[in-house]
Structures are given as structure tokens and as C-alpha cells.
Amino acid sequence: MLKACLVCALLTAAALPVATTAAEPAAAGVDAARGLAHGLVEQLGARLQAAIETGGPSGAVGVCAHEAPAIAGELSRRNGTKITRVSLKTRNPLLGTPDAWEQAVLVAFEERLARGEPIAWIEFAEVVREPAGEYLRYMKALPVQALCLGCHGAPESIDPKVRARLQQDYPADRATGYRLGQIRGAISVKQPR
Ligand code: HEC
């Protein structure tokens, strides 16, 4: 069910125009970036779902901890791009800390959600120039769904076994206390041009 929801959310987003700024990215580039983000969400959703069905939430911690970065790494290598998961409240600061551009986009995503924009439509693309070259940058908001609460919900609602594992592995965890429909973070794609 997770998979179906995420996929339909992304497909809905795909039909909509992307907000752009002065440096407008070509539509084909945005479609490719969106496709990569979609691929990561789909693969990850399927793995999480399967792991929770067999081992419960505590059995699925490893999927988010090891498989998510591995899948993102493989997609990045195969596509010559960088695809990551970022958040304003990280669990793993090494992989999940947004850079300045990503922070600004995540803050804007929060404002768009507060103004009533449907979360499934919230994405942003822009071409940015940096010292090392030009990049197409794309981000897609990740909604908090029921499945996420088992590891990102209110601490007292998290299964004690999962909580203990999270406390041990992530002493600086800031990624709990989320409610359904909030933005947990985003998939971020950075493609050299
Ligand atoms: C079984 C537990 C579990 C579930 C369920 C889970 N997560 Fe996570 N999540 C984690 C762990 C563990 C990490 C840290 C991964 C790492 O070490 O890089 C994480 C990290 C993340 C990150 C990367 C940013 C950060 O905080 O470090 C995002 C984004 C994220 N999760 C979103 C979600 C969303 C959206 C859902 C629901 C669709 C979800 N997670 C469900 C355990 C879980």
C-alpha cells in the first residue's frame, strides 16, 4: 500500500508544471530528475514494505539505515548524478544534512504546505551555477505516511525495541515527533549539466 500511495503521489506530481526561477531548467532534464526521485521512492517503499511484513518495524530499521543509502548510491552511480534524502531534522547528519540550497527549498516547501498546497504536488527545480559548474537541481517533498510513524512518529508511540535500536545507532536523532501529512524531508537530485 505504501508503494501504491507513493507511486500515485509522484505520478500526480508528474502531470503538474514545476515552479522555476530565472534559470529555467529544460523540461526533459526535470522529467529525468523526477524519474530518478520516483525510482528511489518506489524501490525504497517496496523494500520497507516487505521488511516490515516479515520482521516488523524493528526488522525494517536496516532497510532505512543501509539499503536506502545503498539504493541511492547505486542510482547516483548509474546515472552520473547525485541523488540523496535530506531533511531539516535529520536522523543521520552525515547523509541527511541539506546544503544551503536544499535548506532554502525545504523551508519553502513548509511554507507551500502551510498555504494549503497538496503535499503530493510539492516539488521544485532550478539550474544553479556553482564554482565547479552548472547543475540541474530538483527536489520532491516526502510526505509522512502511516508507515513512517513506526520510526519517525512521537517517541512514546514508537515500539520500544525500535526506540532502543534508534537510540543506540543514532544518539543525535532529531527525526521523531512527526505527524501524518507533514513533510519528513525530500529526495534531492543534483545533475551536472
Ligand atoms: C523501520 C524504521 C523506519 C521507517 C518505517 C521509516 N524510516 Fe526513515 N529513517 C530510518 C532510519 C534508521 C534512518 C537513518 C538512515 C541513515 O542512517 O542514513 C532514516 C532516515 C530517513 C531520511 C533521511 C534523512 C535523515 O533524517 O537522516 C528520510 C528523508 C526518511 N527517513 C524518510 C522516511 C519516510 C518518508 C518514511 C515513510 C515512508 C520513513 N522514513 C520510514 C528509519 C525508518
Side-chain angles (χ1 to χ4, degrees):
M1 193 183 136
L2 164 78
K3 191 175 163 191
C5 292
L6 290 170
V7 170
C8 75
L10 283 160
L11 289 177
T12 314
L16 294 158
V18 170
T20 55
T21 62
E24 275 211 18
V30 177
D31 280 348
R34 189 186 282 125
L36 280 177
H38 182 163
L40 177 58
V41 168
E42 198 182 33
Q43 285 189 52
L44 198 51
R47 287 296 305 129
L48 257 185
Q49 177 98 327
I52 286 178
E53 273 163 22
T54 50
S58 67
V61 172
V63 172
C64 247
H66 305 298
E67 291 190 38
I71 296 170
E74 199 188 322
L75 277 175
S76 300
R77 277 193 300 279
R78 267 198 279 122
N79 293 281
T81 190
K82 181 180 172 186
I83 173 162
T84 48
R85 298 184 308 166
V86 291
S87 174
L88 291 173
K89 289 201 307 165
T90 51
R91 176 154 285 163
N92 181 351
L94 173 63
L95 295 178
T97 303
D99 66 19
W101 184 87
E102 289 164 334
Q103 287 174 40
V105 174
L106 282 166
V107 168
F109 280 2
E110 294 291 350
E111 289 163 2
R112 287 166 63 178
L113 184 68
R115 281 200 302 270
E117 191 171 332
I119 198 165
W121 300 2
I122 299 183
E123 59 175 356
F124 183 72
E126 188 176 36
V127 173
V128 297
R129 193 164 297 140
E130 296 184 6
E134 263 193 11
Y135 298 89
L136 167 66
R137 305 206 63 174
Y138 169 85
M139 273 169 69
K140 164 91 187 76
L142 283 174
V144 175
Q145 307 187 19
L147 174 79
C148 318
L149 296 176
C151 297
H152 294 295
E156 60 278 10
S157 71
I158 296 176
D159 178 286
K161 256 171 74 185
V162 174
R163 215 163 56 213
R165 169 100 188 257
L166 291 175
Q167 272 163 4
Q168 183 191 313
D169 290 356
Y170 303 95
D173 189 8
R174 296 170 62 221
T176 57
Y178 283 93
R179 293 188 310 276
L180 272 185
Q182 290 185 316
I183 294 175
R184 169 62 190 93
I187 305 274
S188 179
V189 178
K190 186 172 181 180
Q191 170 84 55
R193 278 166 42 99

